[in-house]
Amino acid sequence: MIDRQSSVFVAGHKGLVGSAILRRLDSAGFSDVRVVERKDLDLRDQSAVNAWFETERPKYVFLVAGTVGGIMANSTRPADFIYDNLMIHGTVVHASHRVGVEKLIYLGSSCIYPREADQPIIEDSLLSGPLEPTNESYALAKIAGIKLCEGYRRQYGDDFISAMPTNLYGPGDNFDEMNGHVLPSLMRRFHEAKDEQQETVEVWGSGKAKREFLHVDDLADACLFLMDNYSDLEHINVGTGIDHSIKELAENIRDLIYPEAELVFDTSKPDGMPRKVLNVSKLTELGWKAKIPLLEGLSSTYDWFRTAKAKGEVRE
Ligand code: GFB
């Protein structure tokens, strides 16, 4: 188990994942958690990151910073997605090595796997075929991050591990209708449609694509579990192992927010990967399982959204 009194750095603490990691570290009794604001440290700048690590000397690192977004943001901003992520992963891993960080966890994404990978996707599918074009830049940067951690372990013996989460959601998500991921984008669209008493709500694509959704508090719990229990070269999948069609997801969100609405599918928008569900047996065998069922997670996330919106605290 990693020492609860030691210094821990959470890179990306303002994001969906980073804020959930902070909540989990707090509930686990960590007493020395360090964070840094973006205005005070550009994680893409190696010399600035080196200087910060030399001053702070964290013992453990949660590397959960990055430029992220849904299918539209990925398709329209490929340069940002590849550059920002390649740089951030490189600087933080390298600086962690330089100051002798004891253990680091790096988060990839299920989009690292080939578009035609056998489902549910096993860890070994990595680099076995072409990627899904709508998120190729992001996936390539994420694959480079996995190989960085592997490289530093092979060459220097650094205890750097990689976890591959499936599609995430929860409090603190980006609820922007154009740039967010499907779940928060649809939540917002149904919420606004209800406010404006619109009869129909638009859902992108055919609705047939399938996705697996993991509540971010489950992910944060899995990250701490892996920091405590896993030290190996191979990346490890984190998910529920259960997927749903986008149509099912949209119906669940409609039933929760605005049951009178009629769904309209806009097939001019991309479906992206047809299916993307992780095989989570490796993690299950280690003793970890997701706890928050989708319907419960949808309801608590919508409660969070409404409260945050009323306070003007929703990221968009
Ligand atoms: O979460 P999402 O944007 O990304 O989901 P991916 C896209 C799927 O949801 C597609 C459908 O099948 C869309 O057609 N969809 C329906 C919508 N309505 C909407 C909507 O209003 N907004 C959005 N965004 N989608 C991401 C990658 O892929 O997965 C990231 O782009 C990351 O890089 C993430 O890896 C985990 O699941 O397709």
Side-chain angles (χ1 to χ4, degrees), residues 68-75 81 109-112 132 134-135 138-139 165-168 176-186 189 202-211 213 246 249 265-266 269-273 276:
V68 298
I71 195 164
M72 202 58 81
N74 269 266
S75 316
F81 277 79
S109 161
S110 58
C111 70
I112 58 157
E132 156 60 35
T134 53
N135 52 220
Y138 182 71
T166 191
N167 287 37
L168 302 169
D176 184 279
E177 254 196 73
M178 287 308 288
N179 295 311
H181 287 98
V182 55
L183 192 155
S185 298
L186 286 180
R189 209 169 295 138
E202 187 182 290
V203 180
W204 296 353
S206 66
K208 291 184 184 137
K210 294 182 91 180
R211 293 292 183 272
F213 298 98
I246 296 297
L249 174 77
F265 292 90
D266 176 0
K269 298 279 194 321
D271 270 347
M273 198 141 155
K276 190 167 52 168

Side-chain angles (χ1 to χ4, degrees), residues 214-215 217-219 221-222 225 237-242 280-292:
L214 179 71
H215 193 284
D217 286 339
D218 270 336
L219 172 74
D221 188 53
F225 175 85
N237 289 342
V238 185
T240 61
I242 302 164
V280 289
S281 11
K282 194 170 159 185
L283 185 56
T284 314
E285 277 157 27
L286 283 176
W288 188 90
K289 246 174 75 193
K291 293 172 198 72
I292 306 173

Side-chain angles (χ1 to χ4, degrees), residues 79-233:
D80 295 348
F81 277 79
I82 195 160
Y83 177 75
D84 289 356
N85 290 308
L86 276 176
M87 297 305 284
I88 291 170
H89 305 157
T91 62
V92 176
V93 166
H94 186 63
S96 297
H97 164 72
R98 284 180 82 241
V99 302
V101 161
E102 211 147 287
K103 190 164 189 176
L104 171 149
I105 185 166
Y106 162 75
L107 281 200
S109 161
S110 58
C111 70
I112 58 157
Y113 293 114
R115 180 181 158 89
E116 304 298 338
D118 286 344
Q119 308 278 333
I121 310 173
I122 54 169
E123 285 85 355
D124 270 352
S125 308
L126 181 63
L127 295 174
S128 62
L131 297 165
E132 156 60 35
T134 53
N135 52 220
E136 192 182 60
S137 291
Y138 182 71
L140 284 169
K142 287 284 167 194
I143 293 170
I146 300 172
K147 294 297 168 188
L148 262 172
C149 293
E150 278 186 27
Y152 279 78
R153 178 181 288 275
R154 282 183 201 278
Q155 188 174 339
Y156 301 116
D158 291 326
D159 192 1
F160 295 171
I161 60 172
S162 300
M164 295 308 115
T166 191
N167 287 37
L168 302 169
Y169 72 98
D173 210 342
N174 175 1
F175 286 81
D176 184 279
E177 254 196 73
M178 287 308 288
N179 295 311
H181 287 98
V182 55
L183 192 155
S185 298
L186 286 180
M187 243 179 210
R188 183 183 202 109
R189 209 169 295 138
F190 278 99
H191 180 82
E192 287 181 357
K194 185 180 180 187
D195 266 1
E196 292 157 18
Q197 287 297 297
Q198 294 165 12
E199 284 177 13
T200 58
V201 173
E202 187 182 290
V203 180
W204 296 353
S206 66
K208 291 184 184 137
K210 294 182 91 180
R211 293 292 183 272
E212 175 189 9
F213 298 98
L214 179 71
H215 193 284
V216 73
D217 286 339
D218 270 336
L219 172 74
D221 188 53
C223 288
L224 182 56
F225 175 85
L226 289 169
M227 281 295 255
D228 282 337
N229 297 290
Y230 186 74
S231 281
D232 224 329
L233 187 70

